[in-house]
Amino acid sequence: PNPAFANIDVPLASTFMLSTKPGKEAYVEPVIENGGYRFMVKVGKPKDMEAAKNGTKLARGANFCCLLSNAVINDPYIKSESMAGRMGAKLMAIVAEGDGGRVYLAPTLEHETVANEAKPEWKPDMPMNRKTSNLVSGRGYGFFTWADLFTSRQLVALDTFSDLVQEAIPRIEQDAIVAGLKNDGIGLEAGGTGAQAYAEAVGVYLGFAIDKGANYWSSICAWSTSTEKMISTFSRQAIPMVWDFTEANPFSTSSGNWDLGIEQAEQMLESLGLWNNGFSSCTDAQRQGVAKDKIVSTDPPYYDNIGYADLSDFFYIWLRHSLRSIFPSLFSTLSTPKSDELVATPYRHENKEEAEQFFLDGMTKAMNQLVVQAHPAFPVTIYYAFKQSENQSSEGVTNTGWETFLEAVIKSGFSISGTWPMRTEYTGNLKKQMSALASSIVLVCRRRNPDAPVTTRREFIVRLKAELPAALAELQKGNIAPVDLAQAAIGPGMAIYTSYAKVLDSEDKPLSVRQALTLINQVLDEPLAEQEGDYDTDSRFALAWFEQYGFSEGEFGVADVLARAKDTSVSSLVDACILFSKQGKVRLLKPAELSTTWNPEVSPRISAWEIAHQLIRALESGGETAAAHLVAAIGSDVETARDLAYRLYNLCERKRRPQEALSYNSLVQSWPEILRLSKEVPRAKPGELFG
């Protein structure tokens, strides 16, 4: 934007680091010369690590600084330039395979020239949907067609591989005939089982491998500096903007190579075996008849969470290019059908309310088909990986998508007999740094008793208070992750709610799903709060302080009053290594600040709070083995610390403290392995901590 540098392209780099692995650091250093710049690659730690990590990025989103003038380049400016076609790409570094790991090389003009000379004969120039936030196109960065997501060299590779599928199929067919398969000339789509169908089946797997390649061969693939690996396009269910991307070599032996897709298809075929024939069919869930007397387990759309059809086009364009001759009717359209997709997408309707009604009506009809058709002797299980907490309102924590889905399930005629958390969600890559849902929540449903009684709100609450604490205790006993606890505990509550035909309020109006969920959540908080009575006085103080301040500072006077109320004192809490106090301010000590030489066997004052946070310190610094050594030394008191972690996670969720929540969630998730390892720790001699 600086007029004096208007004729010079400058980099939008979110980082200059190539590797942050300890002892293997490498980075890009921009060299300013002759009125421009070039990139050098250096090995070792940069002098200014923070500056190298930040690249030219100033803040979240599209906010950078000019490498030459230090002028701020903000989001509106970048969008206007990119939409006008003035955003390109420049080679920053080359990653090669070395004998001892990755080798980072400076870019050369020859490499950059070769890449820029690539000219694809065909490219998917179908327009992208610009109305959804799931795609980079919706954010205004100059991506108009699907081809814009790929470099010219990537387009050449994908186009070439797709064409080769068509060349491979007749050669495979000839080999199949020679091997003895019948030459009946009937293809897969027509139900053939001879040489042509066999060849086309192999072609399908080759097409899948190309689609796998597309996930690694786009300009949306980032680079992980901590693991020295590329991150595929779909590290999550969206196509975000990536400022510095990785272009994989399909012929390498590293991530993103062509063989990966082939190997995975081969492993799948070997694992499944060839004993039974199967079939798949495409039908409208609101009108289907295939569920008749079947055991049904289904994973429906999650309200407005994911734009499935829009995102599917990323893969559809390449499948269609390589497999249209095999399945002409399946690939008859340029892109996937979208108008009937059962999601609450406002841009397909007049407004948000109409989109919600579309989802509710359609999901109710789809669920009703299952109520009528599913085998009566078995429950229907419905996967729903959708976090409940969305916003805080006068009615408590609410989530429109979750409530609308539950309402559709109940209106269809189902009663919910449970919610099972199933460990299904991959938590690597981006998810490992956030309190993401670790499980899918499986709703266990049966047809509701047509003679179900009507009850009152008061009777409903009485039953909740009588039955939920025991259900919650069972979930905790099963070591469910805190991140999943609230969602899973809805099952017992909804089982009570759906055991009635109606729950009536004081005005004889039916209690809505939202109101029922609010009451369930309120009652669920009570057992966790009641557990506080089992804690020592120091832990009760720390809990109350944490709820209000977290690990931030507060006034000494406030802490003094609270400590007296909890039958302790600020000085005692300082001595107990829970609190830091100085110059009229106090704060709780973070796990990383706790003593690494803490010995519970000789400590004169041990609290559940200190145990929990010492375990977190050990877990985060030395892993499960280090935590296991502490558990072995602590003994039976450790169970109270795990219960405390549930309570603290619950507080963090309410107070929106995701980083602290992550620590408490990790402690509970690692608990079974910590306990197992603790049993292998040699018994310590008197006066020794670790034996």
Side-chain angles (χ1 to χ4, degrees):
N2 186 325
F5 296 86
N7 63 325
I8 300 173
D9 292 323
V10 290
L12 305 176
S14 62
T15 184
F16 285 135
M17 293 302 299
L18 297 170
S19 172
T20 56
K21 272 188 175 179
K24 294 186 177 181
E25 292 87 355
Y27 63 98
V28 171
E29 184 172 270
V31 179
I32 300 172
E33 59 185 14
N34 304 322
Y37 74 94
R38 62 183 173 87
F39 289 126
M40 285 181 62
V41 170
K42 293 193 172 183
V43 176
K45 287 185 179 180
K47 292 179 181 177
D48 190 340
M49 177 65 84
E50 197 62 27
K53 281 184 176 180
N54 293 335
T56 61
K57 213 166 192 311
L58 295 176
R60 287 189 66 181
N63 291 285
F64 295 82
C65 70
C66 173
L67 191 66
L68 303 179
S69 68
N70 288 323
V72 173
I73 310 176
N74 61 21
D75 183 84
Y77 184 81
I78 290 173
K79 283 182 176 175
S80 68
E81 288 295 291
S82 59
M83 293 294 280
R86 291 190 289 271
M87 182 168 70
K90 183 173 177 64
L91 190 63
M92 291 178 73
I94 298 168
V95 188
E97 296 176 353
D99 292 335
R102 306 291 193 210
V103 177
Y104 296 95
L105 307 171
T108 67
L109 182 61
E110 289 82 2
H111 276 104
E112 195 159 16
T113 302
V114 167
N116 291 331
E117 285 176 349
K119 295 287 185 289
E121 293 183 10
W122 178 88
K123 59 183 179 180
D125 52 8
M126 295 76 79
M128 296 172 68
N129 175 19
R130 303 188 61 79
K131 296 178 181 178
T132 174
S133 61
N134 288 122
L135 307 179
V136 287
S137 60
R139 301 174 186 180
Y141 293 124
F143 296 93
F144 297 98
T145 72
W146 287 103
D148 294 332
L149 294 178
F150 304 90
T151 67
S152 294
R153 181 155 57 182
Q154 289 169 337
L155 289 170
V156 168
L158 286 163
D159 184 30
T160 304
F161 278 118
S162 298
D163 288 345
L164 286 171
V165 173
Q166 299 304 314
E167 291 185 29
I169 289 172
R171 293 179 59 176
I172 297 166
E173 185 176 355
Q174 289 304 310
D175 289 345
I177 293 170
V178 171
L181 267 68
K182 57 183 176 182
N183 185 13
D184 57 7
I186 304 174
L188 266 184
E189 192 170 60
T193 57
Q196 182 180 335
Y198 175 85
E200 290 178 348
V202 176
V204 169
Y205 289 116
L206 292 173
F208 286 170
I210 295 167
D211 250 23
K212 182 78 175 180
N215 192 28
Y216 284 89
W217 306 337
S218 85
S219 64
I220 307 297
C221 294
W223 179 254
S224 171
T225 59
S226 59
T227 59
E228 296 185 284
K229 292 179 181 178
M230 66 180 306
I231 301 171
S232 66
T233 305
F234 285 94
S235 56
R236 57 191 175 95
Q237 289 134 327
I239 303 179
M241 183 60 190
V242 174
W243 299 104
D244 13 271
F245 64 91
T246 310
E247 192 182 55
N249 179 357
F251 305 105
S252 71
T253 57
S254 297
S255 55
N257 68 75
W258 155 256
D259 285 340
L260 181 63
I262 300 295
E263 289 169 2
Q264 288 184 338
E266 178 189 349
Q267 290 167 7
M268 181 275 298
L269 287 169
E270 288 177 344
S271 299
L272 284 182
L274 303 172
W275 299 287
N276 296 301
N277 289 329
F279 72 94
S280 64
S281 61
C282 185
T283 185
D284 187 339
Q286 300 175 49
R287 298 172 182 82
Q288 58 82 20
V290 295
K292 182 67 175 172
D293 291 329
K294 303 291 195 305
I295 299 173
V296 177
S297 186
T298 182
D299 189 1
Y302 302 156
Y303 192 65
D304 62 350
N305 235 16
I306 302 165
Y308 301 91
D310 290 315
L311 293 172
S312 293
D313 281 341
F314 178 92
F315 295 106
Y316 180 89
I317 54 174
W318 296 111
L319 279 177
R320 185 175 189 269
H321 190 45
S322 57
L323 304 179
R324 186 172 34 165
S325 63
I326 300 175
F327 299 108
S329 60
L330 184 62
F331 294 107
S332 61
T333 56
L334 289 174
S335 61
T336 59
K338 297 177 178 66
S339 60
D340 290 333
E341 184 186 17
L342 195 49
V343 289
T345 309
Y347 78 83
R348 295 183 194 157
H349 304 275
E350 293 294 323
N351 50 52
K352 188 176 181 180
E353 290 72 26
E354 191 174 304
E356 182 178 324
Q357 194 62 47
F358 171 81
F359 179 83
L360 176 60
D361 293 345
M363 189 59 72
T364 302
K365 290 177 184 175
M367 290 294 141
N368 185 252
Q369 287 293 97
L370 298 182
V371 171
V372 173
Q373 295 183 42
H375 199 298
F378 300 92
V380 170
T381 52
I382 306 169
Y383 285 72
Y384 210 67
F386 194 106
K387 285 193 77 174
Q388 185 197 354
S389 300
E390 184 181 76
N391 52 60
Q392 198 81 25
S393 71
S394 58
E395 295 179 283
V397 177
T398 61
N399 182 298
T400 304
W402 176 237
E403 291 158 7
T404 307
F405 175 70
L406 276 179
E407 190 173 342
V409 172
I410 294 165
K411 282 181 69 174
S412 70
F414 272 130
S415 67
I416 298 168
S417 54
T419 44
W420 298 339
M422 299 280 280
R423 189 65 45 172
T424 59
E425 301 303 295
Y426 175 61
T427 53
N429 292 345
L430 300 177
K431 280 189 178 181
K432 66 185 177 184
Q433 294 301 326
M434 61 184 76
S435 261
L437 206 67
S439 306
S440 288
I441 301 301
V442 183
L443 297 177
V444 185
C445 305
R446 293 184 184 273
R447 189 181 304 183
R448 187 160 61 247
N449 183 353
D451 299 323
V454 174
T455 192
T456 65
R457 181 180 184 273
R458 182 178 178 182
E459 289 171 343
F460 174 53
I461 294 173
V462 168
R463 275 194 66 187
L464 287 177
K465 290 186 174 184
E467 298 176 27
L468 282 190
L472 189 66
E474 282 298 314
L475 287 168
Q476 288 179 297
K477 193 186 297 182
N479 210 70
I480 184 173
V483 69
D484 299 324
L485 182 64
Q487 198 89 356
I490 286 171
M494 291 308 295
I496 298 170
Y497 177 70
T498 56
S499 68
Y500 299 107
K502 289 180 184 177
V503 177
L504 302 176
D505 63 17
S506 56
E507 298 177 354
D508 281 344
K509 293 179 180 177
L511 206 66
S512 68
V513 170
R514 169 171 289 192
Q515 291 169 322
L517 285 171
T518 301
L519 289 173
I520 292 168
N521 282 318
Q522 287 172 358
V523 175
L524 281 173
D525 277 344
E526 292 174 8
L528 289 172
E530 286 170 4
Q531 289 175 359
E532 291 183 21
D534 299 331
Y535 303 137
D536 53 274
T537 55
D538 290 353
S539 298
R540 289 204 295 270
F541 166 88
L543 257 173
W545 185 269
F546 184 80
E547 183 170 8
Q548 188 167 354
Y549 295 97
F551 289 108
S552 300
E553 284 186 343
E555 297 293 332
F556 176 90
V558 176
D560 185 52
V561 171
L562 179 61
R564 291 172 191 272
K566 300 294 182 183
D567 197 25
T568 183
S569 67
V570 171
S571 59
S572 296
L573 292 160
V574 171
D575 292 341
C577 300
I578 288 177
L579 209 61
F580 176 81
S581 177
K582 189 176 182 180
Q583 297 179 341
K585 299 286 186 181
V586 302
R587 63 175 175 82
L588 292 167
L589 290 171
K590 296 178 181 178
E593 297 176 298
L594 298 176
S595 170
T596 57
T597 59
W598 180 66
N599 186 343
E601 292 184 326
V602 298
S603 180
R605 187 187 183 107
I606 298 179
S607 64
W609 180 273
E610 187 177 19
I611 292 173
H613 290 82
Q614 279 285 2
L615 286 171
I616 289 171
R617 175 198 61 74
L619 181 64
E620 293 180 344
S621 62
E624 290 164 344
T625 302
H629 277 84
L630 277 185
V631 166
I634 293 164
S636 59
D637 289 338
V638 292
E639 287 297 333
T640 311
R642 189 194 66 155
D643 293 342
L644 179 61
Y646 275 110
R647 176 63 176 153
L648 289 168
Y649 180 88
N650 183 254
L651 288 177
C652 290
E653 278 282 276
R654 280 216 314 260
K655 297 290 184 177
R656 299 186 184 279
R657 298 172 187 158
Q659 202 55 47
E660 288 93 341
L662 186 65
S663 296
Y664 302 124
N665 191 59
S666 298
L667 178 61
V668 176
Q669 281 190 282
S670 300
W671 199 258
E673 182 62 11
I674 292 172
L675 289 185
R676 186 189 70 78
L677 291 171
S678 71
K679 294 173 183 175
E680 300 173 2
V681 175
R683 291 296 175 188
K685 297 175 183 177
E688 289 184 347
L689 174 58
F690 297 124

